[in-house]
Amino acid sequence: MLVKDFLAQQQKAGAHFCDFFAERAQSLTAEITESHPGIYRQGNYHGIGIRIFKSDGEGYYHTSDLTPAGVYRLAKRIVRNDDPKGTLSGVEHTPVSEETLDFWDEGLTEIPIPEQILGKAAQGAFDAGRVLRYFHCRVWIFIQDVKIITSEGFDVSERRKYLHCQVEASLEKKGDRCSARLNRGACGSQSFNPETAEEMGRKVVDLAEEKSDAISLPGGELPVILGPGSGALLFHEACGHPLEADYIQKRRSVFADLLGTRVASQLVTIVDDPLQADGGVYLRYDDEGVNTRKRILIEKGYLRKFLSDRKNARMVSGAASGNGRRQSYREPPLPRMSNLLLMPGQTPPEEIIKETEHGIYAQELGGGKIDPPGGRFIFKITRGYEVRDGKIGRPLMGMLLRGSVRNFLRNIDRVGNDFRLAPGPSFCDKEGQRIPVGLGQPTIRVSSMTVGNR
Amino acid sequence: MDKAKIIDICIQRCKRDKLHPAWIYLKEGESVSWKVEKGSDRFFSIEEEKGISLRMVPVNGDTVGTYTSDLSHNALASMVEKLKKMEQEKPPGRQNRSSERTVPHSDENIRATSGSRSLAIFHQDAELIGLEAVEHFFNAMRQTLNKYKKYYDLQHSFSLQKGVHEVSVADTAGFFASYRSTFYYLVLTLVGARSGRRVSHWTIRASHDFESLDPREIAASAAYETSVSLASKSALSGTYPVIYAPRAAAEFLCLMGPSFAADSFFKRRSIFSGRLGAQIASRAVNITDQGDLRGGLGTIPFDAEGTKSKTVQLVRNGRLENLLYDLYQAHRLGIAPTGNLHCSTYREMPRITPLNLTLIPGQQSLDSMVRGIEEGFYLLNTVNAEGMDLLEDRYRIVGSGLMIRHGKKAEPVSGVLLNGQISQMLQNIIAVGPYLYSSALPGFPLAPAMLIDGITLS
């Protein structure tokens, strides 16, 4: 049975919207740990998911069995779940062919083992005979083909490609264990050359060594400068997630009821741009077949738009913003970010540092946690420095940033003109679904944040 | 195609291409889920998934693997072909490559017996649990939660999933066995609000049978923990004794679990690296891994290499006695594997993973622990700020719980940052409680309450 016919049949049976999502993905993972054997793995999976909205709720059905019999069984379960005696019109017998149904415009691609990337990363790390306690490099390459058909007539296909490289090193110095980790990558047609991996290998060891000289500062309220690029992780977690329409609709966000009001300093303009060519992701369509485009979420401090999928858009803002994304065919879409960017301001970054008498410069942030309903967050600074008398000083160890979303956004008093994208895709988890996202921001200063060292 | 034929095609192809030894992992599963949010917002889902993976540990110790969800003859042949190509074309990658010999298949003493078996008691088809039973279950939770609404504003959403899966493992030496298992997962999300403060709280419970999930008990404990998280922010600062409630203790154990894996240990990724035989914790600490625990949530009859699951004493009276081994790591040392090479889907490479990792209960009751503390903290809920950094031996989490004053539980506090060195915290475990909590966290760790002295709180 043709997909479009089946969706039409569901609409006749009372569905007000249904869609079909087919996915085929190939991945390759290669990892090495110094002086220990490596792990190399590649493979592919495929599957389809069918989502049906009715007045009494939402149903989602999916299978990895793409033989005619497997797809027929799924269709039968959908029909019978709604009406135990229901039948699939036009199909009388279970098809028996073992052939897999093909939804794809392009064939599978050969993914070669990224030999040079692994080799160069190790070469960079062990350059100049440095002795490490631990070294690890992992490269992940993922190619995803999707096809989306909806009851509203959308029929779109897209191929998405990602490469992610993580290098980690640990060493012992002055009796302390110091470690560092770097993530870089590429998406779509962007390239990732082995020299980048070599530089990552070298830099990750430098960063681990730097930590051995790191100091702790007493906790308290201090001005915090967030460096360009990766510092945007804080915006992603503390600002992006609470702007997702499912949290708004369930009133589990600090931004619920605040559309059109001032929520941040007037220096703050935040956009979600899935079409950013150098971003961590590049999406022409979201996973519901909606055309994507750049959306202004906060404009000069005023809340303008939420990130919505089809389901939540009707209840929150009217039209879907093209942010319905999912990890795979196994999950229904959720409102998610693509490339969340804080737009540049006017101030040169050197001036921001120079104007700060005593504070903290956070170059990179690590793991963090936000509670969207309460808006409180906590983040680890993985690479940070003391700022003294307008100059970047000694490296800091183990500092944490704590605060509330509202205060954080209102206390931004400087936005630099040095906008930078974080290199390659980062990964975002929500409700058990992990997807690639992009981050970007210039140097910014928050006039006061709670900083803790323990 | 049935599973025996699928596996036979792979084995014959591997043998023809001299891909030996090789292991096959086939997983077939289906599940059904219900979710209710904001009263009328309902979600229902049916899932079916099948897939197969193939893995080799060839001559130099590198592991190569392939997988596919396409179980047609051509796709299986292509998967084997790809493995052959990877085996031949592995990159040099780094210096100091190992020159290990080929890993042999496990011998009869440690290998599970071929054949199929059932793991859990209930083996209905995924659809057999009816909507009526689910509605009844959700209503019981709703009624319990409503009682708490007079104390604070409370929103809830529930989801319940029933999954049935069958795992088959085979190798090129003729082993072929499978097991079938049923799981229920319940996720309860609460959002509480009081005096302008809002917090969310998640509870996840797992079980092999529906009847052992008690909706009233789950809802009541989640509502209580949410109310504690709504307490005012802590002004604590200093070093205190901390009692970990069993759930928080299970989280601690879960975060530490990877350190017991032999590969992490030898790659110096473990906090215990180089300390086998050493006193890594206080004498109150006994830890076992119980892959064969009767009725355990993490129990499996054999691992992804066909090795029988068993109980391994990892820490005895604080001394690190053993590690968890797959065939490769065990073979390097000339010892027996422990049956811990595990994966939850065919899309993942199997890894050495603890199963039913258990902090063995002690004698001291929770009340007696509390009575012995002049000023301290009882940790109920945790928010993972950083968790454990196993490379840097550091532990930092944010939690909420109750103050302990003069031997009694006192006012609730939230936003407490607990900070410590993992190795030092293990040495400072003073007492372990008598009742085990079975957690739905990865690997399904089990832990009683524990009392740790000298944790820095702020």
Side-chain angles (χ1 to χ4, degrees):
Chain A
M1 180 185 280
L2 292 170
V3 173
K4 286 176 185 169
D5 292 344
F6 181 74
L7 298 183
Q9 186 184 327
Q10 289 302 303
Q11 280 203 297
K12 276 185 198 161
H16 54 74
F17 175 80
C18 28
D19 64 6
F20 166 89
F21 180 87
E23 182 196 12
R24 180 184 60 184
Q26 297 167 256
S27 74
L28 182 140
T29 307
E31 51 187 291
I32 54 166
T33 308
E34 192 268 330
S35 82
H36 286 269
I39 296 172
Y40 308 94
R41 191 165 202 251
Q42 62 176 311
N44 54 72
Y45 69 79
H46 61 205
I48 56 169
I50 295 175
R51 189 168 57 143
I52 296 165
F53 287 98
K54 290 192 172 175
S55 54
D56 59 348
E58 174 190 353
Y60 190 65
Y61 308 83
H62 63 91
T63 183
S64 64
D65 186 350
L66 298 193
T67 60
V71 175
Y72 178 79
R73 189 172 61 246
L74 183 78
K76 219 159 61 174
R77 290 183 99 160
I78 295 172
V79 172
R80 297 227 166 118
N81 184 55
D82 191 50
D83 171 9
K85 290 179 184 165
T87 56
L88 281 166
S89 61
V91 181
E92 289 173 5
H93 304 291
T94 305
V96 288
S97 163
E98 200 203 87
E99 287 303 306
T100 302
L101 295 176
D102 192 0
F103 300 99
W104 321 111
D105 301 332
E106 296 177 72
L108 289 169
T109 307
E110 188 75 19
I111 310 178
I113 292 176
E115 179 176 343
Q116 279 194 308
I117 295 178
L118 295 167
K120 287 281 186 183
Q123 198 178 316
F126 291 97
D127 205 12
R130 291 189 283 196
V131 179
L132 300 180
R133 179 183 161 84
Y134 175 75
F135 170 79
H136 182 250
C137 176
R138 179 180 185 272
V139 180
W140 176 74
I141 298 167
F142 187 68
I143 301 172
Q144 182 193 41
D145 292 308
V146 299
K147 183 172 186 66
I148 303 141
I149 300 173
T150 76
S151 57
E152 290 174 347
F154 287 90
D155 183 347
V156 299
S157 305
E158 189 164 52
R159 172 166 278 195
R160 301 158 182 173
K161 297 180 190 173
Y162 303 98
L163 181 148
H164 184 257
C165 177
Q166 182 178 78
V167 181
E168 198 173 12
S170 171
L171 49 84
E172 278 188 355
K173 206 169 171 187
K174 300 174 191 167
D176 285 329
R177 288 184 196 174
C178 303
S179 64
R181 181 188 289 170
L182 280 177
N183 295 290
R184 301 283 183 266
C187 95
S189 57
Q190 298 162 14
S191 60
F192 186 92
N193 62 47
E195 280 64 41
T196 307
E198 187 175 1
E199 188 194 319
M200 286 172 75
R202 226 181 335 260
K203 194 168 172 190
V204 81
V205 180
D206 289 345
L207 291 174
E209 278 189 336
E210 185 182 272
K211 275 189 170 180
S212 65
D213 298 320
I215 57 158
S216 273
L217 285 183
E221 297 287 322
L222 285 173
V224 174
I225 300 170
L226 292 172
S230 308
L233 178 65
L234 186 50
F235 280 95
H236 171 96
E237 297 290 346
C239 186
H241 281 301
L243 287 170
E244 289 166 346
D246 50 345
Y247 290 127
I248 300 290
Q249 191 264 120
K250 292 171 198 162
R251 305 186 59 75
R252 289 181 187 170
S253 163
V254 284
F255 295 129
D257 300 327
L258 295 180
L259 200 62
T261 66
R262 176 88 172 263
V263 295
S265 141
Q266 62 170 5
L267 299 172
V268 174
T269 295
I270 295 174
V271 303
D272 184 77
D273 186 3
L275 300 171
Q276 178 79 34
D278 302 328
V281 294
Y282 183 83
L283 303 166
R284 286 183 300 135
Y285 308 99
D286 72 356
D287 293 330
E288 299 184 301
V290 178
N291 278 76
T292 58
R293 66 183 172 92
K294 184 173 169 178
R295 308 273 177 179
I296 298 175
L297 306 173
I298 295 177
E299 186 178 24
K300 293 180 180 171
Y302 284 88
L303 180 55
R304 298 293 184 212
K305 193 157 185 67
F306 299 122
L307 298 159
S308 54
D309 59 349
R310 286 175 182 275
K311 177 183 169 184
N312 292 286
R314 278 174 298 148
M315 292 174 259
V316 172
S317 56
S321 64
N323 288 88
R325 298 186 64 195
R326 48 179 139 198
Q327 180 176 324
S328 75
Y329 74 92
R330 291 178 292 276
E331 299 90 7
L334 297 169
R336 305 292 291 265
M337 288 165 263
S338 58
N339 297 302
L340 191 84
L341 315 172
L342 173 72
M343 301 314 283
Q346 305 292 328
T347 318
E350 310 78 43
E351 206 169 294
I352 298 176
I353 296 163
K354 205 172 163 185
E355 285 176 354
T356 308
E357 195 178 324
H358 178 219
I360 282 176
Y361 183 87
Q363 175 74 53
E364 292 206 25
L365 299 176
K369 181 91 183 171
I370 163 97
D371 186 29
R376 293 199 299 181
F377 61 79
I378 180 160
F379 279 88
K380 178 187 170 190
I381 302 174
T382 47
R383 188 178 167 200
Y385 303 88
E386 183 185 23
V387 179
R388 275 272 174 206
D389 303 324
K391 287 180 187 158
I392 291 181
R394 295 167 296 178
L396 297 172
M397 184 168 56
M399 304 299 285
L400 294 172
L401 292 178
R402 300 166 84 176
S404 77
V405 174
R406 287 183 192 192
N407 290 342
F408 164 64
L409 289 174
R410 288 195 171 133
N411 290 343
I412 293 170
D413 65 354
R414 294 286 185 279
V415 175
N417 59 7
D418 57 338
F419 178 85
R420 197 190 297 168
L421 287 158
S426 301
F427 292 92
C428 169
D429 291 300
K430 180 178 173 184
E431 295 189 16
Q433 295 194 43
R434 168 166 280 212
I435 58 167
V437 294
L439 308 168
Q441 71 160 59
T443 299
I444 64 156
R445 187 175 73 179
V446 188
S447 60
S448 176
M449 281 183 91
T450 307
V451 179
N453 68 343
R454 42 176 164 165
Chain B
M1 234 190 308
D2 68 21
K3 66 183 180 205
K5 183 148 184 222
I6 290 168
I7 283 173
D8 188 54
I9 290 170
C10 296
I11 295 285
Q12 295 312 322
R13 287 261 170 180
C14 284
K15 283 184 175 171
R16 193 196 67 183
D17 292 342
K18 297 188 173 53
L19 296 171
H20 180 78
W23 288 268
I24 292 161
Y25 177 92
L26 172 68
K27 186 167 182 180
E28 304 164 88
E30 59 180 52
S31 71
V32 52
S33 312
W34 297 265
K35 190 171 181 182
V36 179
E37 288 183 340
K38 286 183 76 180
S40 60
D41 191 359
R42 282 155 199 283
F43 174 79
F44 174 75
S45 164
I46 289 181
E47 164 187 341
E48 294 179 1
E49 191 177 22
K50 286 181 188 177
I52 190 165
S53 67
L54 186 55
R55 177 179 159 274
M56 277 189 84
V57 184
V59 175
N60 63 8
D62 285 335
T63 303
V64 290
T66 53
Y67 70 88
T68 184
S69 64
D70 188 344
L71 301 181
S72 65
H73 195 288
N74 288 345
L76 295 172
S78 155
M79 179 179 73
V80 177
E81 190 60 36
K82 204 178 280 177
L83 186 79
K84 185 181 174 187
K85 202 170 168 203
M86 288 179 79
E87 201 275 325
Q88 289 168 347
E89 292 178 5
K90 291 180 316 296
R94 65 199 178 283
Q95 300 149 358
N96 307 326
R97 280 176 80 79
S98 157
S99 56
E100 303 288 342
R101 289 183 296 117
T102 301
V103 177
H105 282 294
S106 49
D107 62 34
E108 294 303 321
N109 296 329
I110 54 156
R111 202 163 73 176
T113 319
S114 291
S116 67
R117 67 215 69 194
S118 290
L119 189 60
I121 307 158
F122 298 88
H123 292 297
Q124 306 100 321
D125 286 338
E127 283 174 289
L128 283 183
I129 172 169
L131 183 60
E132 206 175 305
V134 176
E135 285 290 352
H136 184 72
F137 187 89
F138 285 166
N139 277 337
M141 292 186 95
R142 211 174 275 128
Q143 283 164 12
T144 307
L145 293 172
N146 283 341
K147 291 178 193 165
Y148 285 82
K149 288 189 177 173
K150 58 186 168 192
Y151 304 111
Y152 59 96
D153 180 29
L154 189 62
Q155 289 176 39
H156 58 257
S157 68
F158 319 110
S159 77
L160 180 70
Q161 182 186 51
K162 177 182 179 178
V164 180
H165 66 254
E166 184 160 314
V167 170
S168 300
V169 173
D171 65 28
T172 45
F175 173 76
F176 175 23
S178 46
Y179 63 86
R180 195 159 192 241
S181 180
T182 306
F183 257 98
Y184 292 86
Y185 276 100
L186 172 82
V187 181
L188 169 61
T189 310
L190 298 181
V191 177
R194 188 167 55 199
S195 312
R197 233 170 106 60
R198 287 162 71 83
V199 294
S200 52
H201 181 277
W202 286 270
T203 299
I204 304 173
R205 294 283 179 95
S207 173
H208 281 310
D209 64 286
F210 190 45
E211 286 69 24
S212 66
L213 291 171
D214 180 346
R216 288 181 179 81
E217 181 274 321
I218 295 168
S221 67
Y224 171 67
E225 286 168 9
T226 306
S227 74
V228 170
S229 298
L230 280 168
S232 55
K233 215 176 149 205
S234 150
L236 278 170
S237 181
T239 302
Y240 297 88
V242 176
I243 298 174
Y244 279 62
R247 196 173 88 155
E251 281 178 25
F252 184 90
L253 200 60
C254 179
L255 292 170
M256 204 174 64
S259 276
F260 292 111
D263 53 350
S264 292
F265 185 91
F266 294 114
K267 288 174 183 174
R268 289 178 291 190
R269 214 198 141 72
S270 160
I271 43 166
F272 307 133
S273 291
R275 305 205 63 207
L276 196 58
Q279 192 77 25
I280 54 110
S282 77
R283 292 186 61 79
V285 177
N286 288 281
I287 297 174
T288 58
D289 183 83
Q290 306 186 75
D292 58 350
L293 178 69
R294 196 175 168 81
L297 292 170
T299 303
I300 50 172
F302 49 83
D303 72 357
E305 291 173 322
T307 306
K308 268 187 284 194
S309 296
K310 63 180 193 175
T311 294
V312 183
Q313 181 90 34
L314 296 167
V315 179
R316 190 189 301 272
N317 299 329
R319 191 172 153 268
L320 181 63
E321 246 183 20
N322 210 340
L323 299 169
L324 304 172
Y325 296 94
D326 62 352
L327 270 171
Y328 170 68
Q329 294 291 347
H331 172 68
R332 286 177 60 222
L333 302 175
I335 58 173
T338 56
N340 284 83
L341 195 75
H342 184 56
C343 54
S344 55
T345 132
Y346 67 92
R347 297 183 303 278
E348 284 172 10
M349 183 66 105
R351 304 259 175 185
I352 303 175
T353 312
L355 294 169
N356 300 323
L357 188 67
T358 307
L359 175 62
I360 301 295
Q363 302 293 325
Q364 200 172 345
S365 70
L366 183 59
D367 285 347
S368 133
M369 286 183 204
V370 173
R371 273 199 302 275
I373 295 174
E374 185 56 24
E375 188 175 24
F377 181 59
Y378 177 53
L379 175 68
L380 263 177
N381 304 322
T382 59
V383 176
N384 193 351
E386 180 184 344
M388 279 187 189
D389 186 331
L390 298 172
L391 280 177
E392 292 193 354
D393 187 14
R394 199 167 54 206
Y395 172 82
R396 279 203 297 199
I397 57 133
V398 177
S400 57
L402 304 173
M403 285 301 301
I404 300 172
R405 297 186 198 284
H406 312 302
K408 286 181 182 162
K409 287 182 195 162
E411 78 280 5
V413 284
S414 67
V416 182
L417 178 65
L418 292 86
N419 189 51
Q421 225 180 348
I422 309 160
S423 52
Q424 193 57 50
M425 288 171 77
L426 288 168
Q427 299 288 357
N428 288 357
I429 296 177
I430 298 170
V432 177
Y435 302 114
L436 275 177
Y437 171 84
S438 177
S439 150
L441 292 166
F444 304 102
L446 298 99
M450 63 178 181
L451 168 59
I452 308 183
D453 197 14
I455 298 187
T456 306
L457 306 182
S458 57

